[in-house]
Amino acid sequence: MASTDRRKRDYSITGPENQRAQERGLAAAEWYTCPIPRQRMKELMKRKNGPAIRDTLIWFGSLLILGYLAYLSWGTWWAVPAFLAYGILYATPGDSRWHECGHGTAFKTPWMNEVVYQIASFMVLRSATPWRWSHARHHTDTIIVGRDPEIITERPPVWKILLMQIFHLYGGPIELKRFALHTFGKLEEQERDYIPASEHRKVFREARIYMLILLAVVAACIYAGSILPAMFVFFPSFYGGIVVITFGITQHLGLYEDVLDHRLNTRTVYMNPVLRFLYWNMNYHVEHHMFPMVPYHALPKLHEEMKADCPAARRGLFAALKEVITALRKQKHDPAYVVEKPLPATARPYVRGVPQQQDTSLRSEVL
Amino acid sequence: MRTGTWIEACAADAIEAEDVIRFDFEDRTYAIYRTENGDYYATDGYCTHEKIHLSNGLVMGSVIECPKHNGRFDIPTGKAKRAPVCVDLKTYPVKVEAGKVYIQA
């Protein structure tokens, strides 16, 4: 397919692309869904407390053990691997638990979802209520330019952002500025686009609680005359970020923008049980986006129901990373480049967008 | 649209216990529910957050969860119970007669 020059697009959701997406019928549009019988969907959507309670106990129990080992290692070189392991176990499940509990699907009991959501939000330095609304928009308008506030990087990619995110040095400071803004009762302009006014007071209250916790950590460091307290709370959000970004870039990068079919803009990746525990099965990302009411523990079963209608899942994290990095490198010179996987013979055709207004400037490569 | 009219929506046994179906009438769409204890209810068909049909959602006790953003409503009252829904759902009277479900729309 021939490629045409694409003008650099404005990815902010307060810019002209927002209006353009609405005019093209891409905002709050109807998305493609794989055909699954209602009876089977009801089974898959069923909520349970057991798996999430088990996984939460394992997570916090492991954090305590690793935290104790890291404490013992402080002052020696063993502290480097010990705190790296602690940080990865702090931030990676922090991210996935934030995500699943934000959807309210991890636990059957609503308050359990809310408690873990609030804790995990702080652990990954995301304002709980603003991110709930941001993520709702991400699901409404997944990778629709000008509408989705959770696009990691634009096309052509900004490598600096991706590299800084290894230690959460791009998103972290942005979030800290937001905490400060919210603490003083203000919102960013883009947040006003997706957070209703009725939620603003809650945003400000949560930010003030976060600030108090951060001040307590600072006070503990001053009292102890050491950064050790912050190595357990706050700093792990940064130094433990490598797996969060590694998982995160496999979700959508290198795939289509501005389509209404998650099979085209989202990637499912097979992972081993350890990674799936850390990620809470979000490697089944096409499945999650298409049917977000299915809890994490049922996603492997949902994948089996859907796979005849989907492109093949990427066979492992490294295969997915290779695909993403190759695509990003190509997009650096050809921003219109995207990866498109062929569908099996049993699948229904891709839905590329609103039929009469398809974007013909895309260059895809069938892999 | 006429108001206050009883409309035959479906057979009572067309909805399983703790489930919901879609019912379209004239230019409106509705969600008809049967809760676990066998009570029937009707609400507007679309979520108040975005135009997503609730009939694809999950009924849990007397709560319906939207299939797109997991917002929740109390079925008997239509009250919004979980973000991102903030606006209550409109409810309609329901009666069951001779094995048929009627809604007053």
Side-chain angles (χ1 to χ4, degrees):
Chain A
M1 190 187 303
S3 171
T4 58
D5 287 339
R6 278 165 47 113
R7 282 171 297 176
K8 190 170 168 60
R9 303 179 72 182
D10 180 352
Y11 280 68
S12 73
I13 65 168
T14 52
E17 289 286 354
N18 189 326
Q19 184 62 32
R20 183 167 176 258
Q22 292 182 56
E23 288 166 359
R24 294 170 69 202
L26 292 170
E30 189 173 342
W31 286 68
Y32 175 80
T33 53
C34 297
I36 297 177
R38 171 76 182 163
Q39 199 58 39
R40 183 63 180 139
M41 274 310 297
K42 281 169 61 180
E43 292 166 10
L44 293 167
M45 291 189 291
K46 205 166 178 61
R47 304 297 154 76
K48 297 175 184 173
N49 279 330
I53 289 174
R54 176 201 64 207
D55 290 349
T56 304
L57 289 174
I58 292 172
W59 177 33
F60 283 117
S62 305
L63 264 183
L64 282 174
I65 293 167
L66 276 180
Y68 183 62
L69 292 175
Y71 171 77
L72 293 178
S73 71
W74 189 242
T76 73
W77 283 106
W78 286 108
V80 175
F83 274 99
L84 184 63
Y86 174 84
I88 287 171
L89 193 64
Y90 179 102
T92 314
D95 176 59
S96 58
R97 275 59 176 173
W98 162 82
H99 177 264
E100 288 304 289
C101 294
H103 279 281
T105 54
F107 297 88
K108 182 178 181 181
T109 306
W111 71 260
M112 294 185 186
N113 283 310
E114 192 57 28
V115 167
V116 176
Y117 181 70
Q118 291 291 340
I119 294 169
S121 294
F122 176 78
M123 290 173 80
V124 291
L125 296 181
R126 289 182 195 141
S127 307
T129 295
W131 273 86
R132 196 194 296 279
W133 287 91
S134 156
H135 199 63
R137 174 67 70 83
H138 173 61
H139 272 267
T140 301
D141 299 322
T142 308
I143 317 298
I144 303 293
V145 176
R147 296 286 301 172
D148 184 348
E150 297 186 7
I151 296 177
I152 293 179
T153 181
E154 59 197 59
R155 295 194 329 218
V158 183
W159 286 101
K160 186 178 153 190
I161 293 175
L162 299 174
L163 293 172
M164 287 176 77
Q165 276 301 88
I166 292 172
F167 295 112
H168 201 32
L169 291 174
Y170 181 79
I174 291 173
E175 286 302 318
L176 291 175
K177 280 181 201 163
R178 284 182 182 153
F179 290 173
L181 203 62
H182 299 163
T183 298
F184 290 102
K186 293 178 180 171
L187 291 168
E188 285 183 342
E189 189 187 347
Q190 69 155 357
E191 289 177 319
R192 294 185 185 279
D193 192 65
Y194 54 79
I195 306 173
S198 60
E199 296 278 286
H200 291 179
R201 287 182 68 178
K202 194 173 168 190
V203 173
F204 306 147
R205 187 173 63 243
E206 286 168 352
R208 287 161 191 156
I209 293 169
Y210 284 10
M211 277 301 196
L212 285 175
I213 297 171
L214 291 176
L215 286 174
V217 173
V218 171
C221 289
I222 293 169
Y223 179 76
S226 162
I227 62 164
L228 187 57
M231 289 297 286
F232 289 106
V233 178
F234 185 51
F235 285 168
S237 312
F238 295 91
Y239 71 71
I242 187 166
V243 182
V244 176
I245 187 66
T246 303
F247 285 165
I249 64 172
T250 68
Q251 293 179 352
H252 305 285
L253 287 186
L255 303 177
Y256 277 85
E257 294 168 342
D258 296 350
V259 289
L260 300 177
D261 188 336
H262 294 109
R263 298 173 302 172
L264 282 169
N265 68 7
T266 306
R267 192 181 278 106
T268 282
V269 182
Y270 289 132
M271 291 187 184
N272 67 47
V274 174
L275 295 185
R276 287 199 287 116
F277 171 80
L278 293 173
Y279 204 14
W280 255 12
N281 284 338
M282 273 306 110
N283 52 303
Y284 296 105
H285 215 62
V286 177
E287 291 79 358
H288 166 68
H289 265 276
M290 208 177 279
F291 299 107
M293 65 287 198
V294 174
Y296 78 95
H297 50 76
L299 287 177
K301 290 177 185 164
L302 176 61
H303 171 69
E304 292 302 316
E305 297 291 332
M306 285 173 53
K307 68 181 182 184
D309 198 40
C310 291
R314 279 52 165 185
R315 304 201 72 81
L317 179 59
F318 286 105
L321 289 173
K322 186 179 171 191
E323 179 184 300
V324 171
I325 291 167
T326 303
L328 294 181
R329 289 178 69 185
K330 290 183 180 180
Q331 286 177 351
K332 193 72 184 169
H333 307 289
D334 180 5
Y337 174 84
V338 289
V339 174
E340 180 181 327
K341 290 281 190 184
L343 286 169
T346 48
R348 297 196 291 189
Y350 282 129
V351 177
R352 293 173 192 280
V354 181
Q356 68 277 20
Q357 291 175 320
Q358 286 179 14
D359 187 344
T360 56
S361 67
L362 294 170
R363 178 195 190 88
S364 64
E365 181 171 283
V366 177
L367 296 174
Chain B
M1 198 184 86
R2 293 162 292 174
T3 54
T5 310
W6 285 100
I7 305 159
E8 183 183 325
C10 61
D13 60 5
I15 318 175
E16 291 184 7
E18 208 170 27
D19 203 1
V20 54
I21 64 166
R22 174 176 177 165
F23 170 59
D24 295 335
F25 181 75
E26 295 182 342
D27 59 345
R28 300 292 299 272
T29 185
Y30 304 90
I32 315 287
Y33 308 85
R34 184 178 172 187
T35 58
E36 201 170 18
N37 56 13
D39 295 329
Y40 291 83
Y41 297 95
T43 69
D44 272 340
Y46 290 125
C47 179
T48 57
H49 170 232
E50 283 182 5
K51 199 176 172 183
I52 304 296
H53 211 290
L54 294 169
S55 62
N56 292 321
L58 177 65
V59 177
M60 293 172 284
S62 62
V63 169
I64 175 72
E65 182 175 291
C66 173
K68 185 77 173 177
H69 301 98
N70 310 90
R72 291 181 183 178
F73 299 96
D74 179 60
I75 294 169
T77 63
K79 193 165 179 54
K81 292 194 70 160
R82 183 180 186 278
V85 296
C86 299
V87 177
D88 295 348
L89 199 57
K90 185 170 169 46
T91 60
Y92 300 90
V94 172
K95 66 179 180 182
V96 180
E97 285 181 358
K100 305 279 188 190
V101 179
Y102 295 84
I103 69 168
Q104 192 175 33

